[in-house]
Amino acid sequence: MAEAKAEKKKGIKMPYEKRKAMYGYGFIALWMVGTLFFFLIPLVKSLWYSFNEVSIGTGKMLTKFVGLEKYDYVLNTDPNYTTYLKDMLLETLWKTPLVLIFSLFIAVILNQKFRGRTLSRAIFFLPVIIATGPVYKIINGDMSSTGNTGAAQFSTMFSTDLVGELLQFLGIYGLSDKMSTMISTVADNIFGIVWASGIQILLFLGALQNIPPSAKEAAQMEGATAWEYFWKITLPYVSPFILANLIFTVIDSFTSPMNTVMGRILTMKEEWKFGEASAMAWIYFAIVLAAVGLVTAIVNKFIYYEVE
Amino acid sequence: MTDTTGAVVKSESEIGGGLTPKEAKKRRMEQMTAEERGYLRRKALMEAVWPFFRFVILFGLGFVILYPLIYMVSCTFRERSDMTDPTVMWIPRHYTLKVLKETISAMDFWNTLKTTLLLNIGCSFVQVLSCAVTGYGFARFKFKGKGLLFGIVIMMILVPTQVIALPLYAQFRFFGIRGLFSINLIDTMWTMYLPAITGNGIRSGLMILIFRQFFRGLPKELEDAAYIDGCGPFMTFIRVMIPNAGSAFLTVFLFSVVWYWNDYYVSSTFFTNTQTVAKMLQNLDTQLKQRLFNSATIEISPREQIVWKEAGCLLSITPILALYVCLQKYFTEGIARSGITGI
C-alpha cells in the first residue's frame, strides 16, 4: 500500500495495469499478513506437531520428531477415536443428502406466495442463529458433562414418546423393539435435520429467486406441471447451489457442538497431548476433504451453469 | 391461475363477443381438446389441495423448531418441583422468577454480557471492514498469484478451527519476535481482536467470499466514473463502493455477530477467566453444581436441574433473538441479495 503511494508521488511512470495490480496487493495486504500469522503458519505447525512429541517449554513449544508414531497411536491405541470417527463419518454420509433434499423442499415451499410466508421464513431461519452454539447442545438434550438420564428423558420426551403414544392411540400395540427403535431414530433425526438446514434453506431460496421469470413463463405456456417444472427448471437452476450447500453442510458438521470427534480432540488438548490431538484433527480433516473433493468432482459433471 | 392463463391465450378471439366472463370461459373450455381440459382440471385440483398440505408441512416442521424455545420459556418460569409433576407439560403450576434470578447470578450474567458485547460488536465490526477491503481487492484487481491467494481463502473456509487451534494457542501464549521478546496474550481480548482486524477471525473466509461476490456484482461504471474524476482506488472504495454496499455490510455484520455470539470453541481455547455468554452456558453445569446443587440442605434431581439449564439457554439467546426479530429482513433476504448467490 505504502509502496504504491510512494511511487506515485515520486512520479515514476508505471504502466496502468501494473499500478492497478499494486493497488490490488494494497487492498489485500492486511489480510495477507493476518493469514500468514493466524492461518498459514498455524496450519503448517499443526501438521508438524502431528509428527512430533510436543511439550511446553519456557518461551516456546518443544518438539521432538517421532515420525508416524502419533498417527499409529491415534488409529491403533486410542480407545475412542476410531469409533467416534467411524460414527461421525457415517452420520455425515447419510445426513448430508437428507439435509440437502429437505432444505431444497422447504425452500421451494417458502418461495411460493401464501399468507404468513414472512413468518414461516422467520421461523425456518431461526436455527441459523441458534443452532451453532452450545444452546443447541442443551436443546438436543446432550448434557455431556453430566450425562444424566433427565436430559435424555427430556430430549426424547417429545419425539419418541409422542410417536409411541400416537401409535398406541391408533391401536398399534406390541411393535417389535427393532421397529420402535427405528421409529424413534427417525423422529429424533427429523429434529436434527430440521435444525441443521437453516443456512441451506437460505441459500436455496436465494437461488430460487434468481430463476428468471422468462423461464417460468415459458414453462407455463408449454403447460408444464409443477412436477415437470421442478425437474426441468428448478433443479437445473439451483444445481450449482447443491454443491455449495453440500460443502457447507459438511463443513458445518465440523463445528457442530455434537461432533464427538472434535470433542475428543479438545479433550486431548486439555490433557496437553498436542501431538496426538493434531494427528487426530488431521486424519479427520484429510478424510473429509478427500470425500468432499471426490463428490465435487462427480457432482460437477451434472451441474448446469447458465453462463458457460 | 386458470383464468388468467386462459384469458391471455384466447382472449383475442373473444374480443367484441359481448359475452360475460362466465360464458366466455365456458366457450373457451368447449374449444379445448380433452388433453388441455385434463391439464387445467388437474392444475385446479392441485391448487385447491396443495395449500392445505403446505400448511400441515410448515406447521409441523415449524413446531419442531419452535418447540425447544417454547419449552425454554415454560421451564424458566416454573418451580423445580413442576418438573417431576406429571400433570405439568407446558403450563407451569407454580410461577416463579427464582430460577431466572439464580441462573443470572450463577452465570454472572450482566458482567458476562458486557464482556461478550464488547468482544462481539467490536470484533464483528473490524472483521467486516477488513473482509470487505480484502473482498474488494479480490473482486476488482488483477495481480499475480491471485488464484493462489484466493485458494487460501477457500482453504480458510474448509479448514476447521480445531485443526489450527493448538499452534494458534502456542502463538498467542508466546506472542512476539523469537529470541527478542514474547508476551502472553492468552486470556486477553487481543486473541480475538488481532485475527479479526486482519480478516482472519471466525468464518472470515466465508465473509471475504461474500464480499467478493457482492463487489463483483456492482457495475464497473461506478468506479470508472470515479477514476475519471481523479479519485484513487482507495478513495473510490471509501467514497463510492462503501455507500453502495450498505445492506451487504449490515447483513454480514449481523451474521458475524451471531457467529461470535455462538462461538465457544475459540473463546474456550484462548480464554481462561474471561467469560463469554456461550462459554458460560457451556460450563453452566459446573457453575450450577458449585453454587446450587452442592448445598447439603436440598436435594435436586437431574430432571429438576433442567429448569436452570433451560433458563440459561433462554438468557443466552434472548439478546440475539431480539436482534433477529428486529432485523429479520436483513438476515433472510440479505444473504440472497448481496453476494453469495453467485458462487
Side-chain angles (χ1 to χ4, degrees), chain A residues 1 5 16-17 20-21 23-28 30-32 34-35 37-43 45-46 49 56-61 102 105-106 109-110 112-114 118 120-130 132-135 137-139 143 145-146 148 150-151 153-154 157-158 190-191 194-195 199 202-203 206-207 209-210 220-221 223-225 240-241 244 247-248 251-252 254-255 257 262 266 269 272 274 277-278 281-282 285 289, chain B residues 1 5 9 39 42-43 50 54 57-58 61-69 71-72 89-90 130 133-134 136-138 140-145 149 152-153 155-164 166-172 174-175 178 182 194-195 197-200 203 206 208 220 227 232-234 237 255 258-259 262 264-265 269 278 281-282 285 289 302-303 305-306 309-310 313 316-317 320-321 324 328 331-333 335-336 340-343:
Chain A
M1 183 165 98
K5 265 188 184 157
Y16 176 69
E17 285 294 316
K20 258 201 116 176
Y23 276 116
Y25 285 123
F27 270 104
I28 65 164
L30 190 65
W31 170 79
M32 281 204 287
T35 302
F37 281 107
F38 302 120
F39 183 71
L40 289 178
I41 292 179
L43 193 67
K45 264 193 188 165
S46 133
Y49 282 172
I56 287 207
T58 42
K60 60 174 192 272
M61 306 286 282
F102 173 77
F105 177 66
I106 293 297
I109 289 182
L110 289 180
Q112 294 171 342
K113 280 200 179 74
F114 59 93
T118 324
S120 318
R121 284 189 185 175
I123 291 172
F124 276 91
F125 300 145
L126 256 182
V128 176
I129 65 163
I130 298 172
T132 46
V135 171
K137 213 171 180 173
I138 295 184
I139 287 176
M143 310 291 197
S145 44
T146 50
N148 55 41
Q153 219 173 335
F154 158 57
M157 179 185 75
F158 189 68
I190 287 177
F191 183 86
V194 172
W195 275 80
I199 285 258
L202 208 64
L203 289 176
Q209 283 164 356
N210 277 355
Q220 239 161 25
M221 288 295 212
T225 58
F241 292 86
I247 294 171
F248 192 87
I251 300 307
D252 223 33
F254 273 133
T255 46
M262 287 304 178
L266 204 61
K269 200 195 69 186
W272 299 99
F274 282 9
S278 297
W282 273 98
F285 179 54
L289 201 64
Chain B
M1 275 317 237
T5 41
V9 180
Y39 168 70
R42 272 201 310 276
K43 206 173 161 190
W50 176 237
R54 184 171 57 202
I57 293 168
L58 288 182
L61 294 173
F63 186 68
V64 171
I65 294 170
L66 286 181
Y67 155 74
L69 302 186
Y71 194 70
M72 244 178 243
M89 175 78 181
W90 294 104
S130 60
V133 171
T134 314
Y136 184 69
F138 277 118
R140 281 294 158 88
F141 296 95
K142 274 192 195 132
F143 44 84
K144 244 186 215 160
L149 288 169
I152 295 176
V153 175
M155 277 294 277
M156 281 169 70
I157 300 174
L158 293 179
V159 176
T161 340
Q162 285 90 338
V163 170
I164 60 166
L166 314 164
L168 214 50
Y169 178 87
Q171 207 153 310
F172 283 124
F174 309 112
F175 193 80
R178 182 167 296 208
S182 78
L194 279 179
I197 290 169
T198 54
N200 274 273
R203 299 209 193 189
L206 199 59
I208 292 174
K220 247 194 150 118
Y227 286 152
F234 291 102
F237 178 69
F255 272 96
V258 169
W259 287 329
N262 285 330
Y264 69 96
Y265 185 84
T269 308
L281 189 65
Q282 183 77 5
D285 261 353
K289 255 184 215 141
R303 194 171 161 76
Q305 292 180 17
I306 290 174
K309 278 162 195 161
E310 292 290 329
C313 276
S316 59
I317 64 166
I320 211 83
L321 209 58
Y324 178 66
Q328 191 246 334
F331 276 101
T332 53
E333 285 168 24
I335 278 280
I340 204 156
T341 31
I343 286 181

Side-chain angles (χ1 to χ4, degrees), chain A residues 188-207:
Chain A
D188 270 353
N189 285 318
I190 287 177
F191 183 86
I193 288 167
V194 172
W195 275 80
S197 340
I199 285 258
Q200 288 84 341
I201 295 175
L202 208 64
L203 289 176
F204 274 139
L205 201 57

Side-chain angles (χ1 to χ4, degrees), chain B residues 223-252:
Chain B
E223 290 152 298
D224 291 341
Y227 286 152
I228 287 169
D229 288 343
C231 209
F234 291 102
M235 281 319 272
T236 308
F237 178 69
I238 293 165
R239 292 248 183 102
V240 180
M241 298 318 261
I242 289 186
N244 273 303
S247 68
F249 268 95
L250 189 60
T251 302
V252 176

Side-chain angles (χ1 to χ4, degrees), chain A residues 164-296:
Chain A
E165 262 162 40
L166 185 74
L167 287 175
Q168 283 195 356
F169 178 75
L170 293 172
I172 304 168
Y173 295 100
L175 281 171
S176 68
D177 275 352
K178 207 176 173 186
M179 187 76 175
S180 57
T181 358
M182 208 181 79
I183 290 175
S184 70
T185 334
V186 169
D188 270 353
N189 285 318
I190 287 177
F191 183 86
I193 288 167
V194 172
W195 275 80
S197 340
I199 285 258
Q200 288 84 341
I201 295 175
L202 208 64
L203 289 176
F204 274 139
L205 201 57
L208 288 174
Q209 283 164 356
N210 277 355
I211 296 179
S214 57
K216 190 168 186 162
E217 273 162 26
Q220 239 161 25
M221 288 295 212
E222 302 287 342
T225 58
W227 182 249
E228 285 163 339
Y229 180 77
F230 175 80
W231 289 103
K232 304 242 161 85
I233 306 283
T234 311
L235 208 59
Y237 270 105
V238 299
S239 58
F241 292 86
I242 295 178
L243 186 61
N245 268 337
L246 174 85
I247 294 171
F248 192 87
T249 312
V250 172
I251 300 307
D252 223 33
S253 77
F254 273 133
T255 46
S256 156
M258 310 304 290
N259 191 323
T260 43
V261 179
M262 287 304 178
R264 178 81 191 127
I265 293 170
L266 204 61
T267 331
M268 287 307 262
K269 200 195 69 186
E270 272 157 14
E271 290 166 16
W272 299 99
K273 290 181 177 166
F274 282 9
E276 285 86 347
S278 297
M280 282 177 179
W282 273 98
I283 291 172
Y284 185 31
F285 179 54
I287 292 175
V288 173
L289 201 64
V292 169
L294 192 72
V295 173
T296 310

